[in-house]
């Protein structure tokens, strides 16, 4: 069984975001980039399935600029067998990525695609579901447990207020939530090995996909600063405010 | 122009998130239709029909909609999409699951998690975990949108829309529900709680933390959280921690007790709707973000607050 | 059992010194048509993540290493256009006429850089030459062979619990063996410290003396920005007995680098370098450059300032200390990156020749010899008395250094000596408390919102990387005698005295640490031992 894992290169989780002074976007120049944390969980899950003998091959895919190769190498250092870079300088939005992934799924015929549930940059939370729709496959989003058996997979999902377990026919798309696993630390020998694993590069037009963005970003601004509210004199006034002004209790 | 709102419901009733989504639809402007896909969902349909501003409720009842799994619901929405300029769902685990599927099948972009409507095609949405706000304009004929529920008021009752039955689509047979296990613990989970009572080092000890905050949290049906200082001091375990290195939360009410409000902590709770701070230090940074601040000795104020809520 | 790998040369630390050594080795191998395997490890999450410097860079060494650095796209763009040295009083300032300044204060031909970006670029050059560059791996332990020579280092274990037991994600460290290991950890490297002790490298030299530099990067309104302007200040807010000074460097793109350095031989335990930096920005001569601007980044780092007479022996069997690990910084010139690069090149040349002669794990005596005849030695020799003069106070020190440099050109027949910084603190009771102003949230800030901008991060579930030799000393000595100075000298709020029912307790917030090493230097009884946390942790400076 082949598993495909899309991985996205994003601003490192620890690096503070800064909105550009001219409001055209977020400043990313020369900043530290890293693999989207949810995608790291996806790679880890796929590699564990391979180590458990359920999967036979784990293919990592990244869509974007040439530097996404580093992200693919990081995925291979965790244990992915090879990488595919869909290289473009165009700003990619989730629908375009889903179409690129569909083209690769048509070629690679994986049984399972494991995606991060969302990227920590655009916070869209769309790509996995869109890919499933385009493929006509079932989906299990926000997975906290994945069991593969024969023709189907059983996935426990994190839903508001609890957990839901569903059974999907394969092939299927699974998207990861935080609690699915804790990714391993890549070791030096594995980072060294990853440098020698195969990495293919294709272009969107070779896959016949139009990746033109559908949404135009007009402006990016800092979030409104929270300002101090009022000081209450005592507990009674606090309760009154919460009940009658804020109406939250 | 007509807007379709995909209702989140449990067949008997409408989930609160739907009410906020209806308000977002009203902000866009146009006839609002609410789709209820379920099984034995008359209760939910009738509740939707009573919402102010709703022109029509579309009821699609079939056994394969009972669990409201994404594959069948998305197909139903797409089949009924013609004629709608906007399709909205709440940005809950339900809406986030279904809507991208709808968007992809319609070959349109989705605008996720909107917090404001600037124009019928232009919306504001948070990116980078809310550290930046993007204003985006959609060029697509149909706008597929999920709505951040805390950014819009709940729609009030007062409507009397007609409920129209919709033909169910075929069961795609791709997925099935095995079971749901809703958290039954009396204490809601930190990430999902509507109210959070959070304690800091000002409580002085783990015993004080539990003795003072648990009764208050019980009264409010609140989850318990803590600052990193309280976790570091060993009052409570790691998974209580709210903040940059802990959980990022955005409840309706965040009650910070004895928390000074280091920026790392603020980064984890600044999106809460209402922030209440109780601290004896009037200079504590937490007061700079608190909607209601009480400068008081927490050892007196917290029991008094707990008692006042009885 | 840990896995191991063999290299010709292992380099610990990816700053200017380590990267220059790596590049030089590969260049020499290319020139000679031979192959040298070079591995470089760096504890930061990427190359440059732990680099923090002013910085005005003298390109001399870089031009020797990579003569066409300009064509190669080095991020070295802003030539110094003007030098200003200002003596500050509390409310005003007097600029020293440039004609009176010692040569060491002239920056014609130098560049204002973001040294982290320069390091990142050097890292790319090194990788392109075939150096195996591994950021995210900390050198945790020196390895010795049976003969007592250094045979490499072990990287740190990952995934240990707080108690030091293997956790669920445990990955043991790896042994990296080499014929020669170059230590380029920067100032007060924790392995360098062990090597100095083991091989008695400090015998016969003065103790090293240090400063702590605190730096912020600001984006300022265009009308306040003077690209290429270099401002150095002395005087306020330091009293005249305390060594310290500030800088304002105008970079490109409306960016201004602003910082303050306090000599760690300060005596008043109430002094807080962090708060000195904060109030420094409120001085009219300084605020005029940053008012209306936005602070983008914050960080801190100790620097070695002792000069030649504090430099340890550079070599030992199996390796060498290079860059600021060996104290190559030129405090009088307020710059060290050129010295770091040059020292790395010299060590690389010595190592390359030794490898060519099939030697291994012996002393690279050719490195200190080459240093002694280099321009770098001449430069450091000329300014060697700067820091000791400054111990005599700002005015007397400046006067004496001025005479030394301007009248004698540094060729005075005497060399002054340094003493260890941790011995300098007086009892708190004998010293005046310093009333620092409250942060205004506009120009001045508190520690934690500052640390936030260093992007620092440490996994909480791991052994504390700030080790106390004696857990009682923070209360029985530091608090009792010096009012717990670590609360103030730590620029990251790592150390806090917490009052509990059982009495005061030292709380160590190791997650905040920005790896500046000040605690390891200044703790009065040397009770704090700084060791590396998990690789890839600590600050993630972006072009600092």
């Amino acid at each position: 069984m082949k598993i495909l894992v899309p991985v996205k290169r994003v601003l490192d989780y620890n690096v503070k975001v800064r909105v550009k002074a001219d409001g055209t976007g977020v400043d990313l120049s020369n900043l530290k980039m890293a693999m989207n944390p949810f995608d790291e969980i996806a790679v880890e899950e796929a590699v564990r399935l391979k180590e458990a003998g359920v999967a036979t091959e784990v293919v990592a895919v990244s869509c974007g600029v040439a530097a996404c190769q580093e992200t693919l190498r990081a995925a291979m250092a965790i244990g992915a067998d090879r990488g595919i870079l869909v290289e473009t300088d165009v700003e990619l939005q989730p629908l375009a990525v889903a179409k690129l992934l569909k083209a690769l799924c048509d070629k690679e015929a994986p049984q399972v695609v494991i995606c991060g549930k969302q990227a920590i940059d655009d916070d869209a939370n769309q790509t996995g579901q869109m890919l499933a729709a385009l493929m006509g496959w079932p989906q299990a989003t926000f997975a906290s447990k994945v069991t593969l058996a024969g023709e189907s997979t059983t996935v426990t999902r994190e839903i508001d207020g609890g957990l839901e377990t569903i059974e999907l026919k394969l092939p299927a798309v699974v998207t990861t939530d935080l609690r699915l696993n804790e990714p391993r630390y890549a070791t030096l020998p594995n980072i060294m090995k990853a440098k020698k694993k195969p990495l293919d590069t294709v272009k969107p037009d070779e896959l016949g996909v139009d990746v033109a963005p559908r949404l135009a970003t007009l402006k990016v601004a800092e979030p409104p600063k929270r300002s101090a509210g009022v000081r209450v004199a005592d507990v009674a006034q606090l309760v009154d405010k919460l009940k009658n002004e804020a109406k939250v209790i | 122009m007509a807007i379709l709102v995909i209702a989140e419901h449990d067949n008997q009733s409408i989930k609160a998130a739907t009410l906020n989504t209806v308000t977002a639809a009203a902000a866009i402007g146009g006839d609002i239709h609410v789709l209820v896909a379920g099984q034995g969902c008359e209760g939910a349909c009738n509740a939707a029909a009573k919402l102010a501003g709703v022109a029509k409720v579309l009821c699609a009842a079939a056994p394969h909609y009972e669990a409201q799994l994404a594959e069948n619901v998305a197909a139903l929405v797409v089949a009924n999409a013609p004629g709608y300029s906007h399709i909205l769902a709440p940005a809950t685990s339900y809406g986030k699951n279904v809507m991208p599927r709808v968007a992809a099948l319609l070959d349109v972009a989705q605008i996720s998690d909107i917090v404001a409507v600037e124009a019928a095609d232009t919306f504001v949405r948070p990116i980078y975990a809310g550290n930046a706000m993007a204003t985006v304009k959609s060029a697509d004929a149909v706008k597929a949108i999920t709505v951040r529920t805390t950014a819009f008021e709940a729609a009030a009752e007062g409507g009397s829309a007609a409920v129209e039955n919709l033909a169910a689509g075929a069961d795609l047979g791709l997925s099935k529900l095995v079971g749901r296990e809703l958290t039954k613990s009396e204490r809601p989970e930190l990430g999902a709680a509507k109210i959070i009572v959070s304690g800091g080092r000002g409580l002085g000890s783990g015993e004080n933390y539990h003795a003072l905050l648990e009764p208050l949290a019980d009264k409010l049906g609140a989850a318990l959280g803590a600052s990193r200082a309280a976790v570091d001091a060993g009052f409570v375990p790691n998974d209580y921690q709210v903040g940059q290195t802990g959980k990022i939360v955005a409840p309706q009410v965040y009650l910070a007790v004895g928390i000074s409000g280091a920026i790392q902590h603020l980064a984890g709770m600044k999106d809460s709707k209402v922030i209440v701070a109780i601290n004896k230090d009037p200079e504590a940074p937490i007061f700079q973000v608190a909607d209601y601040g009480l400068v008081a000795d927490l050892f007196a104020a917290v029991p008094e607050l707990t008692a006042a809520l009885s | 059992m840990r896995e191991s790998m063999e290299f010709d040369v292992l380099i610990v630390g990816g700053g200017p010194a380590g990267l220059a050594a790596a590049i030089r080795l590969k260049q020499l191998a290319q020139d000679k048509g031979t192959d040298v395997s070079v591995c470089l490890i760096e504890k930061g999450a990427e190359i440059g993540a732990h680099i923090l410097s002013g910085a005005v860079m003298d390109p001399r060494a870089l031009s020797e290493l990579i003569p066409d650095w300009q064509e190669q796209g080095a991020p070295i763009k802003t030539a110094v256009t003007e030098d200003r040295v200002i003596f500050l009083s509390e409310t005003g300032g007097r600029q020293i006429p440039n004609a009176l300044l010692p040569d060491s204060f002239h920056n014609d031909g130098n560049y204002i850089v973001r040294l982290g970006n320069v390091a990142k670029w050097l890292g790319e050059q090194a990788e392109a030459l075939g150096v195996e560059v591994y950021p995210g791996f900390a050198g945790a332990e020196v390895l010795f062979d049976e003969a007592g020579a250094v045979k490499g280092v072990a990287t740190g274990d990952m995934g240990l619990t707080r108690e030091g037991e293997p956790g669920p994600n445990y990955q043991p460290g790896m042994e990296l063996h080499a014929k020669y290991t170059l230590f380029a950890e920067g100032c007060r490297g924790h392995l360098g410290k062990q090597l100095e002790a083991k091989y008695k490298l400090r015998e016969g030299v003065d103790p090293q003396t240090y400063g702590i530099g605190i730096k912020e990067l600001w984006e300022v309104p265009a009308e306040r920005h003077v690209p290429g302007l270099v401002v150095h200040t002395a005087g306020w807010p330091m009293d005249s007995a305390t060594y310290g000074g500030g800088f304002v460097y105008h970079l490109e793109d409306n960016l201004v680098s602003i910082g303050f350095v306090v000599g760690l031989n300060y005596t008043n335990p109430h002094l807080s370098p962090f708060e000195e930096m904060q109030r420094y920005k409120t001085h009219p001569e300084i605020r005029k450059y940053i008012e209306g601007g936005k602070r983008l980044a914050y960080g801190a780092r100790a620097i070695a300032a002792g000069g030649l007479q504090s430099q340890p022996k550079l070599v030992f069997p199996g390796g060498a200390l290079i860059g600021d690990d060996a104290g190559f910084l030129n405090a009088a010139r307020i710059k060290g990156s050129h010295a770091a690069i040059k020292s790395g090149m010299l060590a690389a040349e010595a190592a390359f020749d030794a490898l060519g002669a099939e030697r291994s794990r012996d002393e690279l005596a050719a490195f200190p010899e080459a240093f002694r005849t280099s321009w770098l030695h001449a430069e450091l020799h000329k300014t060697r008395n700067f820091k000791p003069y400054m111990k005599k106070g700002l005015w007397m020190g400046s006067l004496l250094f001025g005479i030394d440099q301007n009248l004698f050109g540094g060729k005075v027949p005497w060399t002054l000596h340094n003493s260890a910084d941790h011995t300098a603190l007086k009892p708190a009771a004998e010293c005046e408390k310093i009333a620092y102003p409250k942060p205004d949230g506009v120009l001045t800030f508190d520690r934690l919102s500052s640390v936030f901008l260093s992007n620092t991060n440490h996994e909480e579930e791991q052994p504390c990387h700030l080790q106390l030799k004696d857990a009682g000393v923070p209360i029985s000595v530091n608090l009792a005698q010096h009012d717990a100075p670590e609360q103030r000298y730590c620029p990251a709020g790592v150390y806090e005295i917490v009052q509990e029912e059982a009495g005061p307790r030292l709380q160590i917030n190791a997650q905040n640490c920005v790896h500046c090493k000040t605690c390891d230097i200044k703790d009065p009884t040397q009770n704090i031992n700084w060791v590396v946390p998990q690789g890839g942790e600590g600050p993630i400076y972006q072009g600092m």
Side-chain angles (χ1 to χ4, degrees), chain B residues 106-145:
Chain B
L106 294 173
D107 192 27
V108 300
Q110 175 181 307
I111 307 124
S112 294
D113 229 1
I114 66 161
V115 296
V117 176
E118 301 265 286
D121 61 355
T122 307
F123 309 90
V124 181
R125 56 177 305 263
I127 54 175
Y128 288 94
N131 287 303
M133 308 302 287
T135 306
V136 296
K137 183 174 172 161
S138 166
D140 287 319
V142 182
K143 279 76 176 165
I145 294 168

Side-chain angles (χ1 to χ4, degrees), chain C residues 18-32:
Chain C
L19 289 163
I23 289 169
R24 192 76 193 113
L25 279 161
K26 283 292 187 182
Q27 286 174 339
L28 290 166
Q30 257 182 9
D31 291 351
K32 297 270 157 55

Side-chain angles (χ1 to χ4, degrees), chain C residues 149-229:
Chain C
V150 170
K151 73 167 178 183
V153 303
T155 63
D157 293 348
M158 307 287 277
L160 290 174
T161 64
R162 276 169 214 252
E163 292 73 34
E165 302 294 325
N169 257 354
Y170 174 68
Q171 294 281 4
M174 185 173 176
E175 296 201 356
L176 302 171
H177 299 168
K179 297 188 173 109
Y180 294 100
T181 306
L182 304 179
F183 292 84
E185 305 163 279
C187 170
R188 194 77 167 192
H190 87 118
L191 300 180
K193 189 170 108 169
Q194 294 167 32
L195 292 164
E196 287 183 353
K198 165 148 177 118
Y199 295 111
K200 302 187 169 58
L201 303 178
R202 302 212 68 90
E203 229 161 52
V205 301
D206 288 356
Q208 185 56 274
T209 166
Y210 301 88
I212 174 175
I214 297 174
K215 173 184 162 177
E216 297 178 356
L217 188 67
W218 283 69
E219 185 176 47
V220 302
E223 64 272 18
R224 297 187 184 274
H225 189 236
V226 192
L229 172 63

Side-chain angles (χ1 to χ4, degrees), chain B residues 201 228 232 244-245 262-263, chain C residues 448-449 460 496 507 509 512:
Chain B
R201 199 195 275 155
R228 193 171 94 186
D232 281 349
Q244 193 200 358
T245 54
I263 189 156
Chain C
L448 287 181
S449 43
E460 309 199 359
E496 274 180 282
Q507 162 77 31
N509 304 305
N512 288 357

Side-chain angles (χ1 to χ4, degrees), chain A residues 187-201:
Chain A
T187 63
L188 256 185
N190 286 339
I191 291 173
M192 292 172 183
K193 275 180 218 149
K195 288 187 178 179
K196 300 192 178 79
K197 290 184 180 175
L199 195 163
D200 295 323
T201 300

Side-chain angles (χ1 to χ4, degrees), chain B residues 257-301:
Chain B
V257 178
I259 291 179
S260 68
I263 189 156
Q264 286 82 351
H265 188 76
L266 301 184
M269 45 66 86
K270 64 176 166 34
D271 293 331
S272 306
K273 191 152 182 241
V274 174
I275 297 175
V276 179
I278 301 177
N279 201 302
K280 67 171 183 240
D281 174 12
E283 303 283 344
I286 190 84
F287 288 122
Q288 288 161 23
V289 299
D291 299 283
Y292 301 108
L294 175 60
V295 179
D297 177 10
L298 66 91
F299 294 99

